[in-house]
Amino acid sequence: MSQRQLLWLVAGACGAFLVLRFAAVHEGVPYNVRELFALGPTLSSLLLVAGLYLLFSPLALVTPWIGSGGAGRGAALVGLVIGHAALAYALLRMVVPLEAIHDVVGYPVWGQVPEVERLIRFIALFSSIFLLLLLGTLLAAGLAQRAETVASALRRWAGGPLVYLVLAYLLVVPYAATVNLVELIEQSNRALGAFFIASSIVMAGLAAGLLAALLSGANRRPWFILPIILATAPLAYGGLWLGTENDIIKYGQRFSALQFLLSANRDALVHGMDLWLRYGIAYLTAIGLLSIILSPFWPAGPTTLSDKVPSLPKRRTG
């Protein structure tokens, strides 16, 4: 690791800690997020920073790996991501209260070993998010460093991972009864709703990857990169708006999924411009945190083997 990368690693970890420490105590932060800090603001923030680096820094390492291999690496990637998701679950079980995990994956309903059921559900959900973010970072690597590699990166990704995402959808939505997630998805067509939500996750991965390329010095064209990053914000919002339920009746109230996710609590639901503002803050915070996690490990050189074309020897004259 170079001195620049080490500097970004230390500075990024400190910045992430300050952001999480602020989120732990600020009353405007959604209560579902504040539940993550059950061990206290400082200790929980430290542990979450370490966890975030362990969970998401591999995106920057896998991006050149999957981008430089053949179609077979897509299938191998699925096994690696499943193992990574299992490790992520073990880490979160030590840091995050069980109730917070139930808020995400739902309560066990299969009637067998509850811990195994939670693990399977979490693997399906987290690995899906990881693969979608990876698709975004692959696109980012192509746009930021070699625009012509975007198509080839898509072909390498659309093998095993794409099939796995379909199976994971069946596990998380129709068959696992993950109520807390299912009730937030557009009810008229859950498959289409899940597709739009997935597209928003890809947009976040794209924006974070492009920003990481700028921060790491792999790309020095902010005039080209920054407009794309800004354009992902409304595109991601559109995906969430189309993919989530806009009319939920619960707790004696009527609200949308975005209101539920972005409001500080159920007694103070945000509307209109306040909702847009909260979304903007949440989106920029998320891609900012992800980009500073990725930047120390972001590949600086060519992203595919096809880029490594040796130069022809010069012809001698005379």
Side-chain angles (χ1 to χ4, degrees), residues 23-246:
V25 297
H26 196 277
E27 294 182 356
V29 174
Y31 70 95
N32 285 329
V33 176
R34 295 199 303 270
E35 284 182 352
L36 298 175
F37 301 90
L39 299 179
T42 301
L43 179 58
S44 292
S45 298
L46 286 171
L47 293 173
L48 285 173
V49 167
L52 288 173
Y53 271 88
L54 288 172
L55 296 182
F56 294 109
S57 61
L59 282 168
L61 304 175
V62 173
T63 294
W65 179 78
I66 189 67
S68 63
R73 287 201 174 179
L77 174 65
V78 173
L80 292 174
V81 172
I82 289 175
H84 182 58
L87 175 61
Y89 178 79
L91 292 174
L92 288 178
R93 280 294 275 123
M94 293 186 292
V95 178
V96 175
L98 187 59
E99 184 63 29
I101 295 178
H102 285 158
D103 286 343
V104 176
V105 303
Y107 289 90
V109 296
W110 295 348
Q112 301 299 322
V113 183
E115 195 66 50
V116 174
E117 180 180 346
R118 281 191 293 266
L119 173 63
I120 293 174
R121 287 192 187 194
F122 181 86
I123 287 176
L125 180 61
F126 177 82
S127 57
S128 299
I129 295 172
F130 189 93
L131 288 171
L132 291 169
L133 288 173
L134 176 62
L135 176 57
T137 58
L138 280 171
L139 293 171
L143 289 172
Q145 291 155 267
R146 295 288 189 275
E148 66 272 15
T149 65
V150 173
S152 61
L154 285 172
R155 287 196 300 270
R156 288 161 183 149
W157 183 88
L162 188 57
V163 174
Y164 175 79
L165 284 174
V166 175
L167 296 176
Y169 163 79
L170 295 175
L171 180 61
V172 172
V173 179
Y175 297 136
T178 312
V179 177
N180 288 345
L181 293 179
V182 172
E183 69 182 2
L184 299 179
I185 300 175
E186 169 60 43
Q187 297 299 299
S188 61
N189 191 328
R190 289 175 179 171
L192 185 60
F195 171 80
F196 282 122
I197 294 172
S199 69
S200 297
I201 298 174
V202 174
M203 287 295 103
L206 171 62
L210 290 174
L211 187 54
L214 281 180
L215 295 176
S216 66
N219 183 279
R220 301 182 185 277
R221 298 179 296 167
W223 54 268
F224 173 70
I225 296 299
L226 290 177
I228 300 176
I229 294 174
L230 293 176
T232 65
L235 290 174
Y237 183 86
L240 291 175
W241 185 76
L242 291 170
T244 56
E245 179 60 39
N246 291 313

